[in-house]
């Protein structure tokens, strides 16, 4: 399973890249705003800065909601860097834009997916990734992980090549479930990924190894 970092924070992206297990980055307008990145030129430069830090795919989201606007923005974003994947919302115009951009060889990430039907439409349009939002479903008492399971099964059943990018991943248990269900990618902040390292037997085992070494060599 690939890990994308879900942030526009350069320090966190550098820290994750140094760890050596990050396969890309996802951003959205809210995450860019959180970092105080404003103005088209600054936003475009920020995407290029991120691409220059990480090795893998970097999702950059359009803000237009009409077909013409989305494809114009999408083509501009894709021309910034070979690593850019254009993120498009799963609305009617968005599906058309995904189809068009795919025909031009531009990779897309269909975002704000909350149903298996939305995921199917995005895949049929040729999306490289679909992004089901796990945490936001949990927030309204729906099982977000159930949606991941349904989409993984559906893509396998029909042999669809679109990758399941589990988004709105908030904690380490979400990641564990993504692994169990066979999601292609989980995108989240760095903290839940680091949570995978935690185990009391690792801590106590390491302490004993070092104590035993120090008894003879300390
Ligand atoms: O990748 C989508 C993600 O940024 C949404 O996460 O925590 O705002 O629901 P969240």
């Amino acid at each position: 399973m690939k890990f994308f970092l879900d942030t526009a924070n350069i320090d966190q992206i550098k820290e994750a890249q140094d760890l050596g297990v990050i396969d890309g980055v996802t951003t959205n307008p809210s995450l860019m705003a959180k970092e105080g990145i404003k103005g088209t030129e600054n936003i475009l430069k920020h995407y290029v800065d991120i691409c220059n830090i990480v090795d893998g795919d970097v999702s950059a989201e359009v803000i237009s909601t009409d077909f013409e606007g989305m494809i114009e923005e999408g083509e501009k974003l894709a021309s910034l860097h070979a690593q850019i994947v254009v993120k498009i919302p799963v609305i009617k115009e968005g599906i058309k834009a995904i189809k068009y951009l795919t025909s031009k060889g531009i990779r897309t990430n269909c975002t704000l997916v909350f149903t298996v039907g939305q995921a199917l439409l995005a895949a049929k349009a040729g999306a490289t990734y679909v992004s089901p939002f796990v945490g936001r479903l949990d927030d309204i008492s729906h099982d977000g992980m159930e949606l991941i399971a349904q989409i993984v099964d559906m893509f396998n059943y029909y042999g669809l090549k679109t990758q399941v990018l589990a988004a709105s991943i908030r904690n380490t248990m979400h990641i564990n479930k993504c692994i169990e269900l066979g999601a292609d990618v989980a995108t989240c902040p760095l903290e839940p990924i680091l949570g995978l390292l935690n185990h009391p037997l690792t801590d106590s085992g390491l302490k004993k190894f070092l104590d035993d070494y120090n008894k003879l060599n300390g």
Side-chain angles (χ1 to χ4, degrees):
M1 188 177 79
K2 288 184 277 189
F3 280 123
F4 289 174
L5 208 65
D6 196 31
T7 184
N9 182 284
I10 293 290
D11 288 340
Q12 193 174 126
I13 293 168
K14 282 182 180 162
E15 186 184 345
Q17 178 67 13
D18 283 349
L19 190 64
V21 295
I22 296 301
D23 304 288
V25 167
T26 51
T27 64
N28 61 40
S30 303
L31 292 171
M32 295 292 274
K34 193 173 163 192
E35 300 307 317
I37 316 295
K38 60 178 179 180
T40 308
E41 290 314 310
N42 288 332
I43 290 171
L44 298 182
K45 179 184 175 306
H46 201 73
Y47 289 138
V48 174
D49 289 346
I50 294 172
C51 289
N52 288 333
I53 298 169
V54 294
D55 297 322
D57 291 348
V58 174
S59 288
E61 187 158 342
V62 300
I63 48 159
S64 302
T65 54
D66 63 300
F67 173 72
E68 295 296 339
M70 280 193 248
I71 63 169
E72 187 183 328
E73 264 190 78
E75 285 176 331
K76 188 166 188 181
L77 289 168
S79 72
L80 288 176
H81 200 285
Q83 286 166 242
I84 293 283
V85 175
V86 180
K87 204 169 178 186
I88 307 242
V90 65
I91 56 177
K92 186 178 171 190
E93 298 288 289
I95 294 297
K96 284 165 61 181
I98 289 168
K99 181 84 183 171
Y100 175 87
L101 293 170
T102 302
S103 76
K104 298 288 174 192
I106 293 173
R107 293 174 306 139
T108 57
N109 172 359
C110 186
T111 189
L112 289 166
V113 167
F114 292 96
T115 70
V116 73
Q118 290 176 325
L120 177 60
L121 289 177
K124 285 176 73 75
T128 312
Y129 300 100
V130 287
S131 287
F133 277 33
V134 172
R136 291 193 194 183
L137 280 171
D138 289 355
D139 288 344
I140 58 161
S141 303
H142 284 251
D143 184 352
M145 279 302 162
E146 180 60 28
L147 178 61
I148 300 297
Q150 288 172 345
I151 297 173
V152 168
D153 286 351
M154 186 262 288
F155 283 1
N156 286 339
Y157 184 81
Y158 291 115
L160 294 164
K161 292 194 173 18
T162 300
Q163 297 180 54
V164 180
L165 195 174
S168 186
I169 294 293
R170 308 257 180 84
N171 56 57
T172 305
M173 265 314 288
H174 277 157
I175 298 177
N176 285 329
K177 283 297 285 182
C178 284
I179 297 167
E180 185 185 321
L181 295 172
D184 297 286
V185 191
T187 189
C188 59
L190 183 55
E191 200 173 326
I193 298 172
L194 294 178
L196 293 168
L197 290 168
N198 294 339
H199 199 286
L201 292 178
T202 303
D203 297 340
S204 60
L206 179 59
K207 182 175 182 315
K208 175 139 178 48
F209 286 154
L210 295 179
D211 286 349
D212 289 344
Y213 173 87
N214 286 327
K215 270 182 215 156
L216 288 185
N217 301 283

